[in-house]
Amino acid sequence: MAQSSLYLLTAVDVRRATQSNTSRAMTISKLTMPGLKFATAEHNPGGGVMAVNFALPRIEAPEPAFSAKGIDTEIFTGMGETERWVFAGAYTRREPGGGSVVAARAVIEGAITSWEPDESDPAEFQGCTHTFANVTHYELTLDGTELFYVDAFERVLRVGGNDLYAGQRRALGA
């Protein structure tokens, strides 16, 4: 059995995917990758002995966010409008015999719909949290390997390379 690698997060960044010079590597303090939660449908048969929450080949709405120190004035350009963003991470992969630094990338299409400043104190940097909604595309790769891909308009949902919605597209004739 192959041993799993240990990945240690060492650096993060968030930037607009289509514009240069929008890196936040020096101001970002926290990055919240959207969680992946599959939708379920409850079945509770009247003559059965238990209810079952059947997993569906769809996910609940992802909600990415990031926090930055100071006020990020550039974030207000296009706020509320859908854009592609890159959530980037550098991970140190630890394994027997050494390790290396590998890239993680999440490409997310959505709109920043919430800006929430932290409580202020002149002795500390004020932080601000930026939250996304309207997420219609989300892909996650680690060290060049696709872990997850979902696109609402393409109607594609891949996990570990397996397209969980392919059967539904075929059944619909699409």
Side-chain angles (χ1 to χ4, degrees):
M1 175 193 255
Q3 182 174 340
S4 293
S5 295
L6 173 63
Y7 293 93
L8 302 171
L9 182 64
T10 57
V12 294
D13 189 15
V14 172
R15 58 186 174 270
R16 296 176 196 269
T18 58
Q19 296 176 15
S20 59
N21 299 320
T22 60
S23 169
R24 289 166 173 77
M26 294 302 294
T27 60
I28 192 167
S29 61
K30 285 191 268 185
L31 174 68
T32 305
M33 296 289 290
L36 304 175
K37 184 175 181 183
F38 279 84
T40 60
E42 183 179 352
H43 174 63
N44 194 355
V49 296
M50 66 183 283
V52 177
N53 287 332
F54 286 103
L56 300 175
R58 67 179 64 184
I59 63 167
E60 293 184 4
E63 296 180 347
F66 68 91
S67 297
K69 292 298 184 183
I71 295 180
D72 183 346
T73 58
E74 195 273 337
I75 209 70
F76 292 97
T77 302
M79 188 172 181
E81 299 174 14
T82 301
E83 294 185 69
R84 280 221 172 185
W85 293 81
V86 175
F87 282 47
Y91 284 84
T92 300
R93 181 179 55 213
R94 303 282 185 189
E95 53 195 1
S100 59
V101 176
V102 298
R105 295 288 181 274
V107 177
I108 298 170
E109 188 169 308
I112 294 178
T113 57
S114 173
W115 174 75
E116 186 175 341
D118 295 341
E119 236 178 63
S120 296
D121 179 335
E124 296 179 22
F125 266 116
Q126 177 185 29
C128 299
T129 300
H130 310 82
T131 307
F132 292 72
N134 197 47
V135 175
T136 57
H137 178 93
Y138 174 26
E139 60 186 89
L140 176 62
T141 60
L142 178 64
D143 196 15
T145 300
E146 179 185 275
L147 301 177
F148 186 83
Y149 180 100
V150 64
D151 190 289
F153 298 115
E154 293 174 5
R155 293 183 304 146
V156 172
L157 171 60
R158 287 192 305 262
V159 179
N162 182 27
D163 188 345
L164 301 179
Y165 207 74
Q168 283 74 13
R169 286 194 309 276
R170 275 193 305 277
L172 294 172

